[in-house]
Amino acid sequence: MLIETVDTLVVGAGQAGIAMSEHLVKAGVSHVVLERARIAEGWRTRRWDSLVANGPAWHDRFPGMTFKADPDAFVPKDGVAQYLEDYATMVDAPIRTGVDVTSVERIAGRAGFRVETSEGLIEAQNVVVATGAFQTAVIPPVIPAESGVNQIHSSQYRNPAELPEGSILVVGAGSSGVQIADELNRAGRDVYLSVGPHDRPPRTYRGRDFVWWLGVLGLWNMEKPTPGTEHVTIAVSGARGGETIDFRNLAEQGILLLGRTESCVDGELTFASDLKLNIQRGDENYLNLLRAADTFVEKNGLDLPEEPEAHVLEALPDCVQNPVLSLNLTDAGITTIIWATGYGVDYTWMKVDCFDENGRPIHQRGVGREPGIFFLGLPWQSRRGSSFIWGVWHDAKHIADSIATKAKYMEYDAQTRAASTDSGVKIRA
Ligand SMILES: Cc1cc2nc3c(=O)[nH]c(=O)nc-3n(C[C@H](O)[C@H](O)[C@H](O)COP(=O)(O)OP(=O)(O)OC[C@H]3O[C@@H](n4cnc5c(N)ncnc54)[C@H](O)[C@@H]3O)c2cc1C
C-alpha cells in the first residue's frame, strides 16, 4: 500500500492550524494541514448568527495582517472566517480540507507516527494537534430528557426565531450566555439567566478597551489562572459596538437572574443561593481592573480622561437581593433551555501516551510528553492569551521552534553516523 510521508502533520485549520503553518513555513519544516471541514469551520457553523468577535479588530488578529474593518470595530463571525481564509492564502499554508484524521499511533521500532485519515495513511515524524479547545458541547446531566423541555447547547443556538414559543432559561453567564440571553430578551422573549462565578471587565475605561488594559497591565501574560478561579468565566461582549456587561442592566431590561442551576426533579428546577455572591464577586473583579488602570495611569503620567462615574455601581436588583430558588418548568412557561456551559475535548482518536486520566493533554507549552506530539490552541497553553487569535500565533512559534530543534538533534545523529562510517568506525545500531 502506498503511504504518504510528511515531516509534520497539523490536524485542524482553525486559527491555530493556520498560525502553525505560517511558522512551519518560516522554519523550513515541510508539512501538511488536514482539516475535516473547511478553513475556520468553527467560526462559520458552530456559532450563533449575530456573533461578533469579543475583541476589537486591532487586537484580535494575527500580527501579519489587519482586518479590512475599522480597527475599533468588533468583526462579525463571517468576517473573522474570511480573514482566516485570506491569511491562510497569504502565508501559503498547505491545507487540505475535507480530510478527517481518525487515528494517530506511534510506529513501533522507529521514529514517527502512523496517521489514518479519511483519504488514506500518512506517516509523519511530528503531529501537531490543533483541533481546538471547543470540540464537544458540554451539557451537564441536570435535567432529564423525559422532562420534555427542548435542551440545546449554545453552539447549536442560531437566532431567536428558531426557538419554539415560550420562555427560555439560559444557563451560564459567560460571554456566550449573556449575549444569547440579551439577544432573546431584546427579541421580546421571556428570559431567565442562571449566573455562576464570572469576571466582567469594563468594555472601555478612560477611553481604552479592556483588552488594552489587560495588555499594558501584563495580565494577558499571566501563566496560570489565580488558584480557585479555574472555572470562572468571563462575561464580555462586542455586540452593538461593545458594551460593559452589568447584570443590573440585564435585570432592568426584564431578564430574571438566578443562581447556578442545581437540579430538576419532577419539573421543579432548583438554583443555588449563590447569585448575590457571584454578582458581587463579578463587581469586585470589575472594580479591581478600574483601580489597577488608575494606578497605571498615575504611575505612567498618562493623559487619559478620568471616569469616576464608572466606579459607582447601582443597587443590586430585587431578583438578586431576594433570589428565586426554585422554578416549575411548566408554571414558568419554559420551553427551551440553552446550556452556555462550555466545551470539552475528545482525543480518543489519538492512541499515544500523552494524556492524563481525564483525557487531558500532558504537555509543556504545547510540547507533548510523547516526543513528536504537539498541541496548539489549548486554554492557558502558555498564558492567558493562548486561546485568542493573537495568543495562539505566539504559541505556534514556540512549537515550530521545538520541531525545528528536534529535527536538528535527529540530523546530528545522522551526520555523526555518516562521518563515523566514512572514517571506518562502526557504530552499533
Ligand atoms: C462563542 C465563541 C466566541 C469566541 N470569540 C473569540 C474572539 O472574539 N476572539 C478570539 O480571539 N477568540 C474567540 N474565541 C475563542 C477562539 O478564538 C475560537 O474558539 C477559535 O475558533 C479557536 O481556534 P482553534 O484553531 O484553536 O480551534 P477551531 O477553530 O475549533 O479549529 C479546529 C479545527 O480542527 C478541525 N478538526 C477537529 N478535529 C479534526 C480531525 N480529527 N481531523 C481533521 N480536522 C479536525 C475542526 O473542523 C476545526 O476546523 C471564541 C470562542 C467561542 C466559543
Side-chain angles (χ1 to χ4, degrees):
M1 190 195 313
L2 193 63
I3 300 179
E4 182 180 352
T5 58
V6 64
D7 184 274
T8 298
L9 187 141
V10 181
V11 190
Q15 61 210 32
I18 295 167
M20 191 67 248
S21 184
E22 176 180 8
H23 288 294
L24 289 174
V25 169
K26 283 184 182 155
V29 176
S30 79
H31 66 285
V32 62
V33 183
L34 301 185
E35 163 58 53
R36 64 155 64 119
R38 293 170 294 175
I39 292 174
E41 189 63 39
W43 285 98
R44 295 177 201 279
T45 49
R46 288 197 287 275
R47 312 272 191 266
W48 62 95
D49 296 346
S50 66
L51 176 72
V52 299
N54 282 330
W58 67 265
H59 187 260
D60 281 19
R61 67 175 178 86
F62 290 136
M65 194 198 266
T66 53
F67 274 95
K68 293 180 193 117
D70 170 1
D72 289 323
F74 299 92
V75 178
K77 69 182 178 73
D78 292 340
V80 178
Q82 188 57 52
Y83 170 87
L84 293 173
E85 194 162 341
D86 293 347
Y87 199 88
T89 306
M90 184 184 83
V91 299
D92 215 6
I95 298 173
R96 292 184 208 161
T97 54
V99 186
D100 198 4
V101 175
T102 52
S103 133
V104 173
E105 61 186 311
R106 180 164 277 295
I107 299 168
R110 62 188 163 88
F113 299 90
R114 182 179 186 275
V115 181
E116 280 177 28
T117 83
S118 54
E119 297 205 341
L121 283 178
I122 299 182
E123 272 190 27
Q125 291 304 304
N126 306 295
V127 176
V128 183
V129 185
T131 50
F134 305 93
Q135 295 171 22
T136 51
V138 172
I139 297 189
V142 173
I143 300 176
E146 311 81 75
S147 66
V149 67
N150 174 36
Q151 299 190 60
I152 61 170
H153 186 260
S154 57
S155 58
Q156 297 165 298
Y157 168 74
R158 290 294 164 267
N159 57 58
E162 278 195 2
L163 298 183
E165 287 203 359
S167 309
I168 297 141
L169 167 63
V170 179
V171 185
S175 299
S176 298
V178 290
Q179 290 181 40
I180 292 171
D182 187 38
E183 174 168 280
L184 290 165
N185 187 53
R186 284 170 191 272
R189 307 296 293 260
D190 285 334
V191 179
Y192 298 85
L193 177 61
S194 171
V195 181
H198 57 269
D199 284 349
R200 61 167 197 98
R203 180 74 261 180
T204 60
Y205 180 58
R206 302 187 75 164
R208 296 289 158 96
D209 195 275
F210 90 93
V211 299
W212 187 85
W213 288 114
L214 259 53
V216 295
L217 293 169
L219 297 174
W220 287 122
N221 285 330
M222 271 173 69
E223 288 179 2
K224 283 193 174 83
T226 314
T229 66
E230 293 83 357
H231 300 295
V232 173
T233 177
I234 180 164
V236 289
S237 172
R240 292 178 308 284
E243 288 165 6
T244 299
I245 302 295
D246 187 339
F247 289 89
R248 294 165 183 78
N249 297 341
L250 296 176
E252 201 183 321
Q253 286 157 22
I255 296 177
L256 191 92
L257 306 176
L258 302 158
R260 263 182 314 109
T261 306
E262 276 189 333
S263 67
C264 179
V265 178
D266 297 333
E268 199 73 22
L269 283 164
T270 53
F271 303 94
S273 55
D274 60 354
L275 177 61
K276 191 170 174 184
L277 185 66
N278 292 336
I279 301 280
Q280 284 172 332
R281 286 187 175 155
D283 288 347
E284 202 46 38
N285 165 265
Y286 162 90
L287 291 169
N288 280 343
L289 191 60
L290 302 192
R291 291 178 198 125
D294 286 340
T295 306
F296 183 86
V297 169
E298 201 184 320
K299 272 192 183 161
N300 291 278
L302 299 183
D303 184 19
L304 295 176
E306 289 191 18
E307 212 182 317
E309 64 283 8
H311 292 254
V312 182
L313 298 176
E314 306 265 314
L316 290 174
D318 186 53
C319 65
V320 177
Q321 297 284 14
N322 302 296
V324 170
L325 296 178
S326 69
L327 263 184
N328 183 281
L329 278 170
T330 313
D331 296 348
I334 295 173
T335 54
T336 300
I337 300 181
I338 302 177
W339 295 92
T341 34
Y343 296 78
V345 285
D346 177 12
Y347 297 108
T348 49
W349 51 280
M350 294 198 61
K351 297 166 180 65
V352 290
D353 181 23
C354 217
F355 300 95
D356 67 14
E357 63 282 6
N358 299 316
R360 299 255 158 203
I362 302 174
H363 69 100
Q364 246 193 344
R365 288 183 65 188
V367 178
R369 173 170 75 180
E370 171 99 44
I373 295 288
F374 301 86
F375 297 91
L376 187 59
L378 303 177
W380 295 91
Q381 176 150 327
S382 66
R383 57 195 174 139
R384 185 184 196 154
S386 284
S387 42
F388 296 87
I389 296 177
W390 49 272
V392 84
W393 189 90
H394 292 283
D395 287 343
K397 184 168 187 318
H398 175 68
I399 302 291
D401 287 346
S402 304
I403 289 173
T405 305
K406 176 177 169 261
K408 287 228 170 71
Y409 281 111
M410 298 309 276
E411 224 171 83
Y412 171 84
D413 186 40
Q415 281 166 3
T416 313
R417 279 163 185 263
S420 305
T421 311
D422 288 351
S423 62
V425 179
K426 264 196 147 192
I427 291 188
R428 211 182 307 150

